[in-house]
Amino acid sequence: EKTVFFSLHVPHRKSELLSDVRSRLWFTYRKKFSPIGGTGPSSDTGWGCMLRCGQMILAQALVCRHLGREWRWVAEGTQPVEYQRILHCFLDRKDSCYSIHQMAQMGVGEGKSVGEWYGPNTVAQVLKKLALFDDWNSLAVYVSMDNTVVIEDISKCLGQRQAPCPLSHFHATSQHPLDWRPLLLLIPLRMGINDINPVYIQALKECFKMPQSCGVLGGKPNLAYYFIGFVDDELIYLDPHTTQLAVDSETGSTVDDQSYHCQRNPRRMKITSLDPSVALGFFCKSEEDFDSWCNLVQQEILKKRNLRMFELVEKHPSHWPPFITPTKPEVQTTGAGGSAALNLTQTLNLSAGYSVANL
């Protein structure tokens, strides 16, 4: 018997595991969508794989936010209204909140021209900016710097006046503000130079086992994958490198969602083949979730490892530049054939360790 680890709550049989994988929103290359910026590419084949993986990790956070981690998709079944609304956020349209159009154009502000390949950190920065325009989900996205998660900065990201929990006290009973917003933590890391340093492998596995895990962005050079778990020394991932026709759906209508779920066995890759540049993703729906995550990081990442994957500190380091609370950026983007102003305020508000055997 082999043991498979996901951030699930109970041991699962193979059929239940595959149901979990099928339930995740699977975003792939698409073709024949409206040109990005009006004159840009109408397909993201060959360049959009990391953007698609970014969509998948964010979609997983939104599913946990609205439907819960235990929700399962059933082919041909009736889906909740919230599910359809989540899916609309990612359609290949210029007015969908997290579409390939919005991500590619927001990437221009990160120094990436439309059609250029992204790394994990760049796509994390793009998601952080786009989330500011998403009033429906009210999601706070925090992207760590220099392998360090700063609790004080997270509290500012949430709009709170003090840290949600001091490191000395991990209990929700303390006197914290109650205006918690669902939080997506993205932690860009470089776990080696050319190859992953083996000392990080066990810590990476521990991250997948945390209930707050919503996956890892990474892959191989110029090949991005969305990693969702592991079995022994192999990572399990969803692969965006399939080109499908764009799905055309009117705002508010039901989306034909069969092509948004991977209905075959997930793929595997040896952990040692992983490119060392990754971004870890964690979703904390409540303050209790965040407290629990801090506890797990302390126990499994910080106390047990000589060489730590990342640090968790309470106060903003004094030698760092001041933390700037994210605000809606002014966006002026350039399409392939000329300038194209993107009015994000108008467009984006439209979208309103646990074991599994026998994979």
Side-chain angles (χ1 to χ4, degrees):
E1 286 193 355
K2 292 185 177 181
T3 301
V4 181
F5 285 92
F6 283 95
S7 52
L8 302 174
H9 299 297
V10 293
H12 277 46
R13 293 185 295 274
K14 180 179 178 180
S15 61
E16 294 169 322
L17 172 66
L18 294 178
S19 175
D20 178 84
V21 174
R22 281 194 299 268
S23 297
R24 294 178 187 247
L25 283 167
W26 178 49
F27 298 117
T28 71
Y29 291 149
R30 298 275 174 171
K31 61 183 179 180
K32 297 188 177 179
F33 49 68
S34 61
I36 295 173
T39 56
S42 56
S43 170
D44 63 311
T45 298
W47 60 270
C49 55
M50 184 60 81
L51 281 75
R52 297 300 185 179
C53 292
Q55 288 179 326
M56 286 191 265
I57 204 169
L58 181 61
Q60 181 65 13
L62 297 184
V63 166
C64 292
R65 158 98 165 82
H66 293 286
L67 303 173
R69 183 64 182 84
E70 303 299 330
W71 173 81
R72 295 293 177 266
W73 177 78
V74 179
E76 311 295 345
T78 302
Q79 310 301 343
V81 171
E82 293 87 351
Y83 164 83
Q84 285 288 334
R85 197 167 180 185
I86 291 168
L87 189 49
H88 268 278
C89 291
F90 297 93
L91 295 182
D92 300 304
R93 302 158 47 117
K94 64 181 181 181
D95 58 354
S96 291
C97 196
Y98 301 107
S99 67
I100 193 78
H101 298 67
Q102 302 285 20
M103 294 185 74
Q105 296 205 92
M106 188 62 84
V108 172
E110 297 295 319
K112 296 289 186 181
S113 57
V114 176
E116 192 174 349
W117 199 85
Y118 286 45
N121 181 61
T122 305
V123 82
Q125 299 295 338
V126 165
L127 292 175
K128 178 179 74 173
K129 290 181 177 179
L130 288 177
L132 297 170
F133 298 88
D134 178 11
D135 293 335
W136 173 52
N137 291 298
S138 188
L139 189 70
V141 178
Y142 170 84
V143 182
S144 67
M145 282 179 52
D146 292 343
N147 300 355
T148 304
V149 175
V150 182
I151 292 179
E152 182 181 30
D153 294 347
I154 290 173
S155 70
K156 293 177 181 177
C157 195
L158 293 166
Q160 296 178 315
R161 286 173 293 181
Q162 67 182 77
C165 65
L167 284 178
S168 58
H169 187 53
F170 288 111
H171 302 290
T173 55
S174 54
Q175 300 300 311
H176 306 317
L178 298 177
D179 55 343
W180 182 270
R181 281 195 296 145
L183 172 68
L184 175 60
L185 277 164
L186 296 172
I187 308 176
L189 300 175
R190 189 157 187 92
M191 300 188 296
I193 301 174
N194 297 316
D195 301 293
I196 184 171
N197 188 327
V199 302
Y200 295 120
I201 288 176
Q202 188 56 43
L204 181 62
K205 290 180 176 181
E206 294 298 334
C207 289
F208 282 115
K209 289 155 66 174
M210 295 177 183
Q212 297 84 1
S213 173
C214 54
V216 173
L217 303 178
K220 299 178 180 180
N222 297 325
L223 282 176
Y225 302 131
Y226 170 45
F227 297 99
I228 57 177
F230 71 92
V231 52
D232 295 336
D233 289 319
E234 291 183 311
L235 295 172
I236 301 166
Y237 65 92
L238 291 179
D239 187 353
H241 299 90
T242 295
T243 302
Q244 305 186 88
L245 274 173
V247 173
D248 192 20
S249 182
E250 294 300 318
T251 302
S253 63
T254 300
V255 180
D256 180 1
D257 63 349
Q258 297 298 308
S259 66
Y260 289 102
H261 294 272
C262 186
Q263 299 181 58
R264 56 177 180 259
N265 287 351
R267 297 186 174 182
R268 300 188 195 179
M269 185 184 89
K270 287 200 172 294
I271 296 179
T272 51
S273 299
L274 181 68
D275 187 89
S277 181
V278 300
L280 313 180
F282 301 96
F283 176 69
C284 300
K285 185 174 183 179
S286 65
E287 189 174 0
E288 290 80 6
D289 272 346
F290 182 71
D291 287 1
S292 171
W293 180 80
C294 289
N295 250 330
L296 288 169
V297 169
Q298 286 278 80
Q299 294 167 16
E300 303 300 333
I301 306 296
L302 303 183
K303 289 183 179 177
K304 293 185 179 179
R305 317 284 164 216
N306 292 327
L307 194 58
R308 297 170 174 178
M309 286 180 78
F310 61 89
E311 298 287 346
L312 175 64
V313 301
E314 185 172 352
K315 294 294 184 181
H316 186 87
S318 59
H319 60 282
W320 281 15
F323 178 78
I324 300 173
T325 304
T327 56
K328 292 181 182 179
E330 294 292 326
V331 179
Q332 186 78 20
T333 62
T334 303
S339 66
L342 180 64
N343 189 334
L344 283 166
T345 305
Q346 288 182 352
T347 58
L348 293 183
N349 287 338
L350 291 176
S351 71
Y354 300 78
S355 63
V356 185
N358 303 323
L359 177 67

